């Protein structure tokens, strides 16, 4: 997918939340309140849990620039693995995106850079676009390790096949996720510049070619305006607030 043709990218990460009833609620609310004019050249990606991907796809696909993504995929292919979901399956039901490397999976399931790389590889095999999450913990930040961690995650997670059309990077400081605490906008912008520097070097990019960079961590309708209006930030990855259709529409309408 040519991600570069979109302006802002708003991603809803439902995590382990949602139900058929919530999908119906979104559908009803969006039918009234989701207008092409408001969305413009921006993109909305909704990432529900696996069991709800297919019904989300069939209910939401009609909305302008709205895409569906999964929250994970297996690093392994062609084996009997109870409980895993492959990129083949996600692509079979015509999802376009997959979130990989989220800190909750890194921490709770010990997913390291190597495992995440394998997942990215599998996602690309099936032409899925990747939203790759990176971010430092509170301890790493306190010990001035933030830049090293980000550098390490980018260089050891992203594979050679990543490019500006198939990969979005989401910078999510772990201490900001679900805490209501968010870095100052200047701090986020500084980090975005740093991430671009590393990516430009890694992929030998010319100045007019840029990866799309999102910010995630306690984004809500009140703080999203400032974030989305920054030229250095290409979008947001929203957890908690994305479970409310009203809040999500408010975030999309950041220009009003
Ligand atoms: P939050 O989650 O918006 O609830 O902080 C963001 C995320 O984990 O992607």
């Amino acid at each position: 997918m040519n991600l570069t043709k979109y302006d802002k990218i708003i991603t809803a990460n439902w995590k382990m939340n949602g139900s058929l009833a919530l999908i119906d609620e979104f559908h009803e609310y969006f039918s009234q309140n989701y207008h092409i004019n408001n969305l413009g050249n921006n993109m909305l990606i909704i990432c529900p849990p696996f069991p709800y991907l297919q019904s989300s796809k069939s209910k939401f696909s009609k909305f302008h620039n709205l895409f569906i993504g999964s929250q994970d995929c297996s690093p392994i292919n062609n084996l009997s693995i109870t409980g895993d979901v492959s990129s083949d399956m996600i692509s079979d039901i015509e999802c376009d995106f997959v979130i990989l490397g989220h800190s909750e999976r890194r921490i709770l399931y010990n997913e390291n850079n190597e495992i995440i790389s394998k997942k990215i590889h599998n996602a690309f095999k099936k032409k899925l676009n990747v939203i790759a999450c990176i971010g430092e913990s509170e301890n790493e930040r306190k010990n001035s390790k933030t830049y090293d961690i980000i550098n390490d995650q980018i260089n050891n997670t992203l594979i050679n096949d990543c490019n500006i059309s198939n990969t979005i990077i989401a910078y999510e400081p772990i201490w900001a996720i679900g805490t209501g605490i968010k870095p100052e906008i200047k701090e986020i912008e500084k980090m975005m510049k740093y991430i671009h520097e590393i990516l430009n070097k890694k992929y030998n990019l010319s100045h007019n070619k840029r990866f799309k960079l999102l910010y995630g961590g306690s984004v809500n309708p009140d703080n999203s305006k400032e974030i989305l209006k920054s030229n250095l930030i290409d979008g947001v990855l929203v957890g908690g607030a994305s479970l409310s259709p009203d809040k999500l529409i408010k975030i999309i309408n950041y220009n009003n």
Side-chain angles (χ1 to χ4, degrees):
M1 180 180 291
N2 181 9
L3 292 169
T4 56
K5 73 175 188 182
Y6 294 95
D7 192 7
K8 301 290 173 176
I9 299 175
I10 292 129
T11 306
N13 176 11
W14 282 8
K15 307 192 180 185
M16 200 169 68
N17 297 286
S19 58
L20 291 175
L22 186 73
I23 292 167
D24 282 345
E25 189 188 324
F26 262 80
H27 182 259
E28 208 174 306
Y29 194 87
F30 275 22
S31 300
Q32 304 293 324
N33 299 288
Y34 187 99
H35 303 300
I36 292 183
N37 290 351
N38 296 342
L39 200 74
N41 208 26
N42 301 324
M43 170 194 261
L44 176 63
I45 307 167
I46 298 188
C47 304
F50 289 129
Y52 301 118
L53 285 175
Q54 206 161 8
S55 52
S56 299
K57 175 79 191 168
S58 67
K59 288 252 161 121
F60 299 148
S61 292
K62 65 174 185 184
F63 294 110
H64 176 69
N65 287 358
L66 198 164
F67 298 87
I68 301 297
S70 70
Q71 298 171 20
D72 192 25
C73 76
S74 177
I76 303 162
N77 266 343
N78 306 324
L79 278 178
S80 301
I81 304 172
T82 303
D84 258 19
V85 174
S86 70
S87 57
D88 304 53
M89 296 167 185
I90 298 162
S91 133
D92 192 29
I93 55 168
E94 297 176 352
C95 288
D96 291 291
F97 288 88
V98 53
I99 298 175
L100 294 174
H102 193 282
S103 57
E104 284 152 10
R105 298 207 62 86
R106 286 182 191 258
I107 295 165
L108 295 169
Y109 293 100
N110 295 322
E111 288 187 7
N112 57 23
N113 289 338
E114 193 188 338
I115 293 175
I116 298 159
S117 289
K118 285 186 182 157
K119 292 183 177 199
I120 296 178
H121 183 77
N122 278 353
F124 288 159
K125 264 202 209 157
K126 285 292 148 185
K127 306 237 171 327
L128 294 169
N129 301 286
V130 167
I131 302 165
C133 301
I134 55 174
E136 81 286 1
S137 69
E138 192 170 7
N139 248 342
E140 289 159 348
R141 175 179 149 92
K142 276 190 190 142
N143 293 317
S144 309
K145 293 259 169 61
T146 300
Y147 289 91
D148 292 345
I149 292 291
I150 296 302
N151 195 356
D152 173 63
Q153 289 177 344
I154 292 177
N155 279 309
N156 296 315
T157 303
L158 300 186
I159 61 176
N160 287 342
D161 289 342
C162 291
N163 63 48
I164 60 172
S165 293
N166 64 14
T167 305
I168 299 169
I169 314 293
Y171 169 59
E172 298 203 297
I174 299 170
W175 48 273
I177 295 177
T179 57
I181 304 166
K182 183 189 91 25
E184 294 295 323
I185 190 85
K186 288 268 170 292
E187 230 180 299
I188 303 175
E189 289 178 331
K190 194 173 157 198
M191 184 53 75
M192 294 303 177
K193 281 188 193 158
Y194 179 68
I195 295 169
H196 275 307
E197 251 175 54
I198 303 172
L199 289 168
N200 289 0
K201 208 157 129 198
K202 182 173 169 74
Y203 293 100
N204 210 359
L205 297 177
S206 56
H207 281 305
N208 56 349
K209 298 223 161 120
R210 284 168 37 136
F211 276 84
K212 291 282 187 190
L213 302 190
L214 315 185
Y215 165 77
S218 296
V219 173
N220 60 42
D222 296 328
N223 62 26
S224 55
K225 283 195 195 332
E226 184 185 36
I227 302 170
L228 289 167
K229 283 185 178 171
S230 165
N231 287 332
L232 291 166
I233 308 169
D234 301 305
V236 283
L237 178 51
V238 193
S242 76
L243 292 166
S244 148
D246 165 54
K247 286 185 183 162
L248 198 51
I249 292 281
K250 281 191 179 127
I251 293 172
I252 293 166
N253 292 344
Y254 67 96
N255 256 332
N256 300 344

